[in-house]
Amino acid sequence: MVEDEPEALNVTARLLERAGYQIVRANSADHALRILEKDAGIGCAVVDLGVGGTGGIEVVKWLRWARPKTHVIVVSGEAVPQLPSGVTLLPKPYTIQQLEETIDAGCPVD
């Protein structure tokens, strides 16, 4: 999960963990890219387009190029540029239930 707002990252991650998901947290695009380069086992990525560093769209583009089978969910409260194919958009604000349903549609809990 890539989110640069600490409270949003921690609360959302904790709620998803309680629902059975394993969450790897990144607080910037650069942090996310370092994690993704090392961990090929990530099957789903939730990326806030507004994160700092190189930006969320760069994380999305890297995932589509390097990990085309990874399910990518983009969350944003702003206007969204054209997203690469295979990327799901979940507009902010969203509920935890909406996020879980979006994740389950592409990456169910093992």
Side-chain angles (χ1 to χ4, degrees), residues 30 44 54 77 97:
D30 298 325
C44 182
T54 59
Q97 181 179 354

Side-chain angles (χ1 to χ4, degrees), residues 59-82:
V59 174
V60 172
K61 289 177 182 177
W62 186 89
L63 281 163
R64 299 301 349 123
W65 171 76
R67 307 267 172 72
K69 293 184 179 182
T70 298
H71 183 67
V72 179
I73 300 167
V74 164
V75 296
S76 180
E78 306 290 325
V80 176
Q82 176 95 17

Side-chain angles (χ1 to χ4, degrees), residues 28-38 54 58-59 62:
S28 72
D30 298 325
H31 185 204
L33 290 170
R34 285 193 304 274
I35 291 169
L36 290 165
E37 288 171 354
K38 294 177 184 176
T54 59
E58 294 306 316
V59 174
W62 186 89

Side-chain angles (χ1 to χ4, degrees), residues 1 29 34 37 46 49 59 68 85-86 94 100-101 103-104 106-107:
M1 177 165 214
R34 285 193 304 274
E37 288 171 354
V46 178
L49 282 190
V59 174
S85 64
Y94 56 83
E100 287 180 25
E101 289 169 357
I103 292 170
D104 289 344
C107 12

